[in-house]
Amino acid sequence: MRLVCPNCGATYQVAGDLIPAEGRDVECSACGHGWLAFAPVAESLLPAPLPQSTVTPEVAEILRAEAARETRVRADERAEERQVAQDRGPVAEKPANEDQTPVPPPLFRPATKAEAEAAAAARAAAAAAKARDVMPADVRPVSQAAAVKTPAAPLPAEPVKDPGAHGGFLIGFLAAGGIALVGVLTYHGAPALMQSWPESAPYLQPYVSTIDGWRIWLQDQATALTTP
């Protein structure tokens, strides 16, 4: 095989078995340039070229014209079919049993929906008549004329509840609890707030001092009550 230096173009003829398929580092003796040389690919391993079309431009133009004509013919046929259907008008539907096999006798075919409903109504009427025959006299329903009408006792009137009374108490309780919670959180977080935001000290310091005073007063009162 032949090797050509990509730097200076020097050509070398070497044995093909010296260059493996994965390549080999070689060096040009003329310029000292080194590169990775690969064995030439066999022509049998190259992909086969795609077959060239033998259709001439004139034949291709004829084929395109034929395809366009066929499309127009099919479109005309569909338009003609639609026009004929419109001229004929809507097709009347045939009855369900027309042009069909004669219906077999009831004993040899499943009952239709109407027949099944009629049979169910007949069975229900027979069962009701049988129940009236066997019902004792003392439990039979009396007629409307013989029925004794007893006036219904008036229901006790329930006191009308004010829907706003309970709701107002709940709103007031929640508002008081929320204010108390904000006060407790402000008191406990005042040192950190004053350290991170010194401008708030004139407002938070009096509040903390007031709460401390109340807390000391309550503690003194509790001590006075518990001390004998």
Side-chain angles (χ1 to χ4, degrees):
M1 61 174 294
R2 187 176 64 173
L3 295 179
V4 179
C5 177
N7 185 36
C8 65
T11 304
Y12 302 92
Q13 194 73 23
V14 298
D17 55 354
L18 296 179
I19 307 298
E22 61 273 12
R24 181 176 180 178
D25 292 326
V26 295
E27 183 179 353
C28 179
S29 58
C31 64
H33 177 71
W35 74 94
L36 181 62
F38 293 93
V41 180
E43 294 183 358
S44 59
L45 300 179
L46 295 176
L50 296 176
Q52 298 294 331
S53 176
T54 58
V55 179
T56 61
E58 293 79 6
V59 175
E61 183 64 27
I62 294 174
L63 294 176
R64 283 193 293 269
E66 184 65 22
R69 188 189 65 81
E70 184 68 21
T71 302
R72 289 194 300 271
V73 170
R74 293 184 180 274
D76 295 339
E77 291 176 354
R78 288 194 294 268
E80 184 178 356
E81 292 174 357
R82 287 195 297 268
Q83 185 63 34
V84 171
Q86 292 177 359
D87 296 339
R88 291 178 179 177
V91 180
E93 297 183 357
K94 295 182 179 181
N97 295 331
E98 187 177 350
D99 297 337
Q100 294 183 1
T101 305
V103 179
L107 297 178
F108 302 97
R109 64 175 176 83
T112 62
K113 183 178 180 180
E115 294 173 350
E117 293 178 353
R123 288 194 297 269
K130 185 176 180 181
R132 286 195 300 269
D133 294 339
V134 300
M135 184 181 297
D138 55 349
V139 297
R140 291 181 180 178
V142 298
S143 62
Q144 184 175 2
V148 178
K149 297 183 179 180
T150 304
L155 298 177
E158 296 183 358
V160 179
K161 297 181 180 180
D162 186 7
H166 182 70
F169 173 77
L170 180 60
I171 293 174
F173 178 77
L174 293 177
I179 294 173
L181 179 61
V182 172
V184 171
L185 294 177
T186 305
Y187 174 74
H188 285 283
L193 287 174
M194 288 186 292
Q195 183 178 0
S196 59
W197 187 26
E199 290 79 0
S200 63
Y203 305 97
L204 294 178
Q205 188 63 42
Y207 172 74
V208 174
S209 300
T210 302
I211 298 299
D212 289 339
W214 289 354
R215 183 169 56 82
I216 294 172
W217 180 80
L218 290 175
Q219 185 177 359
D220 293 342
Q221 295 298 322
T223 303
L225 291 175
T226 57
T227 303

